[in-house]
Amino acid sequence: DVPELRALIGEVAVEQLERSRSDDPRGVSAALRVCFTRLLKSEKKFFVDQLNMLVKRISQEAAEGKDTSGSNGDLLLRLHSQYPGDIGCFTIYFLNVVRLEPGEAMFLGANEPHAYLHGDCVEIMACSDNTVRAGLTPKFMDVLTLCEMLNYTPAPSSSKIFPAVQSQLDPNVYLYDPPVPDFTVMRIEIPASIKLYLISAMDSASILLVIQGTAVGTSTAAASEMSLHRGSVLFISANESISLHLSSPDGMLLFRACCLL
């Protein structure tokens, strides 16, 4: 539906994608791989010309009051203003646009392309030895490695989003437990009515991030008290607990990254 993108990918690849059927996931994945690879391997002058044509067309349609949502017009113009002439502006047509509401989380598996656009979030990553970029960056792009490694299996954004579950052991703790054993995130909401709170010991090490509130912490492992406020980060070793003496009238909001053994 985007003629400038169609020109970059080429009619053969486009027809292969149009012939792929939803009941043949391998065929769809293979067609997406061909289309995405053709896009990223486009000659720079050619894709810059097509991008400029696309931006000009969308800008004119927006000025005329036309609906450009079918071409992700608002997002395209915003990204192009931030990264003019970047081929990543075209990758939005291969991805789902996801808006997370406060309290929601999403899980992305290995080799799944993603782009963080705006807003504040807590991001947890498993140990990784690579970062391969697909655009919207001034940094190096390893196109060959990228096109080979990506997972081209299509899925709705709803399949990636999951809610927090309130802990049965502590009503102040909400668990974000993704479908991998590598890590779990805890959201700890301590109301103002609680002046002394215990960060429980765990079998694994963890990292604690303070988002809101102030407290003085005492640890079973540390020799001295710790002053905690917005932006404070603590490393908590395995089998270590921390007592928080709250001094904030609004309570505290903490996030804890850990591994549930």
Side-chain angles (χ1 to χ4, degrees):
D1 295 333
V2 181
E4 297 84 359
L5 175 63
R6 191 181 186 106
L8 284 176
I9 292 174
E11 288 301 320
V12 174
V14 169
E15 290 173 3
Q16 180 181 349
L17 181 61
E18 291 175 338
R19 288 196 305 267
S20 61
R21 305 187 311 274
S22 58
D23 60 350
D24 179 18
R26 289 188 177 182
V28 176
S29 295
L32 285 172
R33 176 189 291 270
V34 171
C35 290
F36 192 77
T37 302
R38 288 293 303 272
L39 170 65
L40 288 199
K41 289 186 177 180
S42 300
E43 182 184 353
K44 183 172 183 177
K45 184 180 184 306
F46 185 38
F47 83 68
V48 169
D49 288 344
Q50 293 298 322
L51 179 57
N52 289 337
M53 290 170 59
L54 174 60
V55 169
K56 181 179 179 180
R57 178 172 64 83
I58 296 298
S59 298
Q60 289 177 343
E61 291 178 358
E64 295 169 0
K66 296 182 179 179
D67 181 10
T68 63
S69 59
S71 298
N72 277 339
D74 291 343
L75 178 57
L76 171 74
L77 296 180
R78 177 153 57 87
L79 293 181
H80 187 261
S81 69
Q82 296 170 341
Y83 299 95
D86 193 303
I87 198 166
C89 294
F90 278 111
T91 62
I92 63 174
Y93 300 115
F94 289 87
L95 305 176
N96 295 303
V97 179
V98 183
R99 179 183 294 275
L100 287 179
E101 298 298 332
E104 287 185 329
M106 66 185 302
F107 172 74
L108 296 168
N111 301 328
E112 290 187 354
H114 57 278
Y116 168 76
L117 297 175
H118 63 91
D120 294 325
C121 69
V122 174
E123 180 182 18
I124 309 298
M125 295 178 62
C127 292
S128 172
D129 62 357
N130 65 70
T131 299
V132 185
R133 301 173 182 88
L136 303 178
T137 175
K139 299 179 181 179
F140 173 70
M141 287 175 51
D142 188 342
V143 173
L144 292 178
T145 299
L146 176 74
C147 294
E148 285 298 319
M149 66 180 282
L150 285 184
N151 173 9
Y152 294 93
T153 303
S157 58
S158 58
S159 68
K160 307 294 182 182
I161 298 175
F162 63 98
V165 177
Q166 190 172 27
S167 170
Q168 297 181 348
L169 301 177
D170 185 345
N172 300 306
V173 174
Y174 295 82
L175 297 174
Y176 296 95
D177 196 15
V180 292
D182 304 64
F183 52 78
T184 297
V185 178
M186 297 179 178
R187 188 178 83 239
I188 306 173
E189 298 181 356
I190 309 173
S193 58
I194 296 179
K195 298 304 179 184
L196 179 61
Y197 182 82
L198 179 67
I199 303 290
S200 302
M202 300 182 62
D203 293 334
S204 69
S206 60
I207 298 174
L208 186 72
L209 170 64
V210 180
I211 299 296
Q212 175 186 315
T214 56
V216 174
T218 56
S219 166
T220 54
S224 59
E225 294 182 339
M226 298 167 287
S227 178
L228 302 179
H229 50 81
R230 176 178 172 86
S232 296
V233 181
L234 290 182
F235 174 80
I236 306 175
S237 59
N239 304 314
E240 177 186 5
S241 61
I242 296 179
S243 296
L244 297 181
H245 300 263
L246 277 72
S247 56
S248 172
D250 299 321
M252 292 193 78
L253 174 61
L254 315 166
F255 283 88
R256 187 179 188 181
C258 58
C259 178
L260 297 180
L261 300 177

